[in-house]
Amino acid sequence: MSRTSRTRLRLALGASAFLLATAVVPAPAHAEDVTDTTDVTDTTDVADTTDVTDYAITVDPSTRGATIDKTMYGVFFEDINRAADGGLYAELVQNRSFEYSTDDNKSYTPLTAWTVAGTAQVVSDSGRLNETNRNYLSLAAGSSVTNGGYNTGIAVEDGKKYDFSVWARADSGTTLDVSLQDAGGTLATARQVEVEKGGWARYKVTFTATRTSATGRLTVAASDATALDMVSLFPRDTYKHEPNGLRKDLAEKIAALHPGFVRFPGGCLVNTGSMEDYSAASGYQRKRSYQWKDTIGPVETRATNSNFWGYNQSYGLGYYEYFRLAEDIGAMPLPVVPALVTGCGQNKAVDDPALLKRHIQDTLDLVEFANGPVTSKWGKLRASMGHPKPFHLTHIEVGNEENLPAEFFARFTQFRAAIQAAYPYMTVISNAGPDDSGSTFDTAWQLNKDAKVDMVDEHYYNSPQWFLQNNNRYDSYDRTGPKVFLGEYASGGNAFKNGLAEAAYMTGLERNADVVKLASYAPLFANEDYVQWRPDLVWFNNHASWGSANYEVQKLFMNNVGTRVVSSTATGTPSLVAPISGAVGLSTWATSAAYDDVQVTAADGSALLSDDFSGDASRWTHTGGGSWSLDDGQYVQTDTAAENTMVSAGDPAWHDYDLHVKATKRAGKEGFLVAFGVKDTGNYYWWNLGGWNNTQTAVEQAVDGGKSTLIAKPGTIETGRAYDVDIKVRGRQVTLYLDGQEWGSFADDKPAEPFRQVVTKDAKSGDLIVKVVNDQSSAARTAIDLGGAKVASRAKVTTLAAAPDAVNSETATAVAPVVSTFNGVADKFSYTFPANSVTFLRIRQR
């Protein structure tokens, strides 16, 4: 890291100002939560050290910056990683209505999560509880069923109450013996339920736990033949409401963020699968998009569905509960409805005018359910569920990450016209596809601009380096065009280095608060035993939850937003941009491919590598998965299921070279991958030809395992055809050729600036909030000029500081805020921001 001298700081501050105290806020390896920390006042000068870089921040309080809406930051809840059932939804029984199916997961049966003693059979006939709850359990006399819950079992806490309920039907009076136990014995006094002769009825009893356990089992035994459905166990102590409540610790972690909005329910749940309803007319389609009318009313009448992420979703947590959660935490509800164009790899436009008309009407009905009077059909239903007052819905999003922009937009405009005709006050949000750039992104944005759409949702998951390089992304956006909703973003990991990169990026979001009106990290939740996507903001199991390092960053920003941006500038980090360097590589993704005639030539024409695979493959190192072998003078990867099968060759110090490869797809879902600039298994570039289920070709950069897309275009790769792939690397410039024709080029020359800042003002308190991110291993000694602002000498300081690889876990909180005070504030003062830190200075104006 290049460093300037202490002399530069003297010149920036002036001789007397340089003598002002400079505070270093310590970052203990296991800092406590804010509420548990002791204020520390430190007005001593920084000890002499060479591990310091000098900066200057200049604030202009006279300039009126952008207004920051109170809804600026929010959360996005999608049922991924068991975020709902087994997560936020407090139900402790898994597969409570015996609806699990191979449609949900190939390993599932209607008795998944249950064990049977005696005779029990899942039945689907006219004796069912209702038409949307298709299955029930027929339990023979003297038989029992036991449920294993989620994770290690049913978690109970000593002294807490748990409400059991079941729908039962018996031809003659019968008794149900209901018990809670684990391997160590009884967890609560067993209870008996007397089932009356006749039709379906709901029965309830309450348990009080006598021990704490995370491995509990719930058993229901019948004295005589009985039909059972909706076997349920809920903790009495849920968040705000019961029954059908939310798991308290998880809901409280959302509430602690003080989010401005809650986006729900997806995500890929919204725009995948069938767009039909769950009825006899449609054949009770299980693999269907999330449709709000399936999720309201009494829980026993709500249909279940096949979750896109590979399990079942019960819809016990539905639209009513989402609206209620948003209200409880003071957040704006922001629902997403299907646009009848599937995404997330499916990429199909549904061409059915009658079905489109029905979905548009469903969306209008949704607004009425949220906002309508109790005299209206849907407002009356809301009131019957316990909420006569409206939910004050003002924003609604149509579609999610559609990869067919023209087809999506043709449908979106019909939704928007209908919604705004009936409810002119509604903000109708569109989207820009699944990536941060590329032809789909550009086409979608142009369509949105031309149609003067209110707001466009952008999504991207990139490497920490990308976030450091693109802090200025929204500086050049059209101030008169559609506003931006950054609905999903994350930097590819849950270590503190990821949180630092995201924090640096968030300073750019705030600086552009006149363009970026809403932003939410994604995904929100992950059950550690059922993970489909990483990283995630909050992790949990059946008995505990913990916020990631990223969560602590989001919480710090969301609790200290401010109401207006104050103009400020900062000096940057001196650095030299080295040329792209690294070895070369070959890989595949769910595809078999053959490679031949690999040649790497230096810029002066000398040969660095030449391999026609006529001998062996000893020059290649296999670091990925899959199965590689020589076959008739070609190097072949044969496993069509393996992902990232990288082999590499050459010197990591190579730079300024030409790479030639002949590549042939043999079988599988995608095309092939040709890598360059390969440093190690987590740091490289590759040209991904025929990626994303053979729909797109792109160059991706991996940094510490996190990938970001640098350039992308639609494209497919033909099976059996040999392609000539050529990559020219010069400095930071890369040019790519396919079959001798230039495919595209890019310059990876943006500096990954580690020192970022933004200043906001809180109108309520009058505070100036100086927010500084120092994402480097050296401290940042900084001259701060407040531009003549009259301020108190004492500032509240909140600091997140830890090792870059630090992570939070169930048992250890390595990344947590430390609160201290600093007494050296003046119009001009100096402050040293620790290495690898996010620091907020709240400075009171006088």
Side-chain angles (χ1 to χ4, degrees):
M1 177 65 66
S2 299
R3 300 181 181 86
T4 54
S5 67
R6 191 178 285 257
T7 303
R8 176 178 169 185
L9 185 60
R10 282 187 193 273
L11 294 174
L13 285 171
S16 60
F18 182 71
L19 296 176
L20 284 170
T22 303
V24 178
V25 181
H30 297 284
E32 300 297 327
D33 193 76
V34 174
T35 55
D36 297 325
T37 55
T38 303
D39 278 8
V40 177
T41 303
D42 186 349
T43 58
T44 59
D45 197 7
V46 179
D48 287 335
T49 175
T50 58
D51 199 20
V52 174
T53 305
D54 291 341
Y55 295 91
I57 296 173
T58 303
V59 182
D60 184 0
S62 65
T63 301
R64 188 174 178 83
T67 298
I68 306 175
D69 295 345
K70 64 180 181 180
T71 53
M72 172 77 182
Y73 295 121
V75 295
F76 165 46
F77 182 93
E78 179 177 11
D79 188 359
I80 184 174
N81 309 313
R82 290 281 190 185
D85 295 322
L88 183 62
Y89 187 48
E91 174 65 79
L92 298 175
V93 175
Q94 183 177 178
N95 190 17
R96 66 183 177 185
S97 59
F98 311 101
E99 297 288 339
Y100 276 29
S101 163
T102 52
D103 284 337
D104 310 326
N105 188 294
K106 290 181 180 179
S107 68
Y108 281 0
T109 75
L111 283 171
T112 292
W114 295 92
T115 56
V116 176
T119 302
Q121 181 182 4
V122 175
V123 181
S124 179
D125 62 15
S126 59
R128 61 178 61 91
L129 180 60
N130 57 65
E131 284 302 301
T132 51
N133 195 332
R134 307 289 293 166
N135 293 346
Y136 64 93
L137 184 73
S138 176
L139 189 61
S143 299
S144 67
V145 286
T146 298
N147 190 267
Y150 297 92
N151 300 94
T152 56
I154 292 173
V156 297
E157 189 175 343
D158 186 19
K160 294 291 183 70
K161 293 184 181 299
Y162 297 85
D163 293 321
F164 169 85
S165 66
V166 63
W167 283 81
R169 188 194 71 208
D171 294 333
S172 59
T174 187
T175 300
L176 299 179
D177 291 304
V178 189
S179 59
L180 271 171
Q181 67 285 323
D182 63 8
T186 301
L187 291 173
T189 302
R191 303 299 303 273
Q192 284 192 332
V193 173
E194 299 298 330
V195 177
E196 297 178 359
K197 177 182 178 180
W200 288 102
R202 187 172 184 236
Y203 300 90
K204 298 183 288 184
V205 295
T206 297
F207 291 98
T208 300
T210 55
R211 287 192 295 114
T212 295
S213 174
T215 59
R217 300 291 187 267
L218 174 72
T219 297
V220 181
S223 62
D224 294 290
T226 313
L228 304 177
D229 207 345
M230 296 295 290
V231 183
S232 174
L233 186 68
F234 260 86
R236 176 74 58 84
D237 189 17
T238 56
Y239 185 73
K240 300 279 189 181
H241 305 278
E242 56 90 18
N244 209 49
L246 304 182
R247 181 171 149 175
K248 193 172 184 180
D249 62 325
L250 296 183
E252 285 176 342
K253 280 187 168 54
I254 303 175
L257 294 169
H258 295 103
F261 65 88
V262 179
R263 178 178 182 251
F264 62 89
C268 290
L269 302 189
V270 168
N271 69 335
T272 54
S274 168
M275 298 294 164
E276 299 286 350
D277 63 0
Y278 193 63
S279 67
S282 66
Y284 295 103
Q285 296 190 35
R286 289 290 294 268
K287 293 185 176 182
R288 65 191 188 281
S289 63
Y290 195 111
Q291 299 174 47
W292 78 272
K293 289 180 179 178
D294 288 341
T295 76
I296 56 172
V299 291
E300 67 271 13
T301 68
R302 300 183 190 181
T304 67
N305 197 6
S306 172
N307 183 293
F308 174 81
W309 300 106
Y311 51 90
N312 176 273
Q313 53 188 147
S314 73
Y315 287 148
L317 175 55
Y319 258 75
Y320 176 73
E321 289 75 26
Y322 286 126
F323 278 128
R324 197 171 59 181
L325 170 64
E327 180 181 69
D328 287 342
I329 62 178
M332 176 181 77
L334 203 166
V336 187
V337 299
L340 274 71
V341 179
T342 59
C344 301
Q346 296 183 0
N347 301 334
K348 178 184 177 183
V350 179
D351 189 13
D352 185 334
L355 189 59
L356 176 62
K357 183 178 180 181
R358 193 266 286 175
H359 274 268
I360 291 173
Q361 185 59 51
D362 281 354
T363 303
L364 298 177
D365 293 344
L366 171 60
V367 180
E368 195 66 19
F369 175 75
N371 295 349
V374 296
T375 53
S376 71
K377 174 183 177 181
W378 297 104
K380 182 179 180 181
L381 176 60
R382 181 193 67 240
S384 72
M385 296 181 70
H387 202 285
K389 293 182 179 180
F391 283 115
H392 305 295
L393 178 66
T394 59
H395 290 62
I396 196 164
E397 183 172 357
V398 178
N400 169 75
E401 292 188 11
E402 282 72 25
N403 214 9
L404 302 172
E407 292 86 343
F408 160 73
F409 208 75
R411 290 154 180 79
F412 170 83
T413 53
Q414 295 182 62
F415 276 88
R416 183 177 68 156
I419 295 168
Q420 293 188 333
Y423 306 98
Y425 60 86
M426 290 294 297
T427 296
V428 185
I429 302 172
S430 180
N431 74 81
D435 301 305
D436 61 85
S437 61
S439 59
T440 296
F441 178 88
D442 293 340
T443 300
W445 254 107
Q446 192 60 54
L447 289 167
N448 285 306
K449 285 181 179 179
D450 292 345
K452 295 181 169 49
V453 167
D454 292 328
M455 190 176 292
V456 178
D457 188 2
E458 293 187 357
H459 295 177
Y460 37 83
Y461 297 91
N462 290 322
S463 67
Q465 178 164 311
W466 185 94
F467 283 94
L468 293 176
Q469 289 176 319
N470 287 275
N471 176 275
N472 64 346
R473 175 181 176 88
Y474 296 107
D475 291 0
S476 59
Y477 269 50
D478 182 1
R479 265 49 201 170
T480 64
K483 302 306 180 185
V484 172
F485 172 22
L486 180 50
E488 298 182 31
Y489 73 98
S491 70
N494 280 141
F496 189 48
K497 62 186 175 186
N498 299 99
L500 284 168
E502 291 154 6
Y505 193 72
M506 292 169 80
T507 66
L509 300 182
E510 292 191 7
R511 187 175 64 250
N512 290 284
D514 57 329
V515 169
V516 183
K517 306 305 287 184
L518 307 169
S520 51
Y521 180 102
L524 177 60
F525 284 127
N527 186 318
E528 65 175 350
D529 292 331
Y530 310 93
V531 180
Q532 294 86 44
W533 186 280
R534 298 173 188 269
D536 304 284
L537 204 61
V538 176
W539 289 80
F540 65 92
N541 51 38
N542 63 348
H543 63 278
S545 60
W546 56 98
S548 64
N550 319 66
Y551 175 86
E552 295 299 342
V553 166
Q554 294 289 325
K555 184 178 177 182
L556 183 58
F557 273 85
M558 293 165 79
N559 282 278
N560 296 277
V561 181
T563 54
R564 184 174 295 279
V565 178
V566 179
S567 177
S568 61
T569 57
T571 54
T573 304
S575 63
L576 296 174
V577 179
I580 292 173
S581 61
V584 299
L586 311 170
S587 189
T588 59
W589 197 284
T591 304
S592 172
Y595 295 93
D596 199 1
D597 193 22
V598 178
Q599 298 177 35
V600 182
T601 307
D604 63 5
S606 60
L608 299 175
L609 174 69
S610 180
D611 199 339
D612 63 3
F613 302 108
S614 59
D616 57 31
S618 59
R619 283 177 284 188
W620 297 85
T621 301
H622 185 189
T623 56
S627 178
W628 289 87
S629 60
L630 292 176
D631 183 2
D632 195 23
Q634 294 181 311
Y635 202 21
V636 181
Q637 198 291 116
T638 55
D639 188 342
T640 57
E643 299 177 346
N644 191 3
T645 63
M646 179 84 80
V647 292
S648 61
D651 189 336
W654 282 352
H655 61 87
D656 296 292
Y657 57 74
D658 297 319
L659 167 62
H660 170 82
V661 179
K662 189 175 289 291
T664 306
K665 173 183 175 178
R666 288 193 167 187
K669 296 179 180 179
E670 304 204 346
F672 36 77
L673 299 147
V674 179
F676 57 97
V678 179
K679 294 290 192 184
D680 52 46
T681 56
N683 295 274
Y684 54 85
Y685 300 79
W686 66 20
W687 191 6
N688 187 348
L689 296 102
W692 295 268
N693 288 320
N694 208 12
T695 62
Q696 185 170 286
T697 293
V699 176
E700 297 177 280
Q701 181 185 16
V703 178
D704 292 334
K707 291 198 291 291
S708 55
T709 301
L710 303 182
I711 181 174
K713 298 178 183 180
T716 59
I717 293 298
E718 298 175 23
T719 301
R721 174 183 166 188
Y723 291 84
D724 285 310
V725 178
D726 290 275
I727 301 172
K728 180 179 181 179
V729 182
R730 294 293 185 273
R732 306 295 299 181
Q733 180 75 34
V734 179
T735 308
L736 307 112
Y737 302 86
L738 188 61
D739 287 337
Q741 300 296 314
E742 183 174 331
W743 176 86
S745 64
F746 67 93
D748 182 22
D749 56 2
K750 291 183 180 179
E753 174 58 57
F755 184 83
R756 293 292 187 182
Q757 60 81 38
V758 69
V759 180
T760 64
K761 181 178 179 179
D762 186 336
K764 184 176 181 179
S765 67
D767 291 351
L768 287 176
I769 311 173
V770 180
K771 311 174 185 183
V772 177
V773 181
N774 182 28
D775 186 7
Q776 58 186 328
S777 58
S778 58
R781 184 172 44 215
T782 307
I784 301 175
D785 184 342
L786 296 179
K790 297 185 182 301
V791 294
S793 61
R794 180 183 174 97
K796 176 185 177 182
V797 184
T798 307
T799 304
L800 292 171
D805 292 326
V807 295
N808 289 346
S809 68
E810 179 183 352
T811 57
T813 305
V815 181
V818 173
V819 177
S820 62
T821 57
F822 172 57
N823 287 333
V825 180
D827 175 34
K828 295 180 180 180
F829 67 101
S830 63
Y831 193 93
T832 297
F833 297 96
N836 304 308
S837 68
V838 183
T839 306
F840 280 28
L841 298 167
R842 291 195 71 113
I843 302 171
R844 183 63 52 87
Q845 292 193 93
R846 293 185 300 186

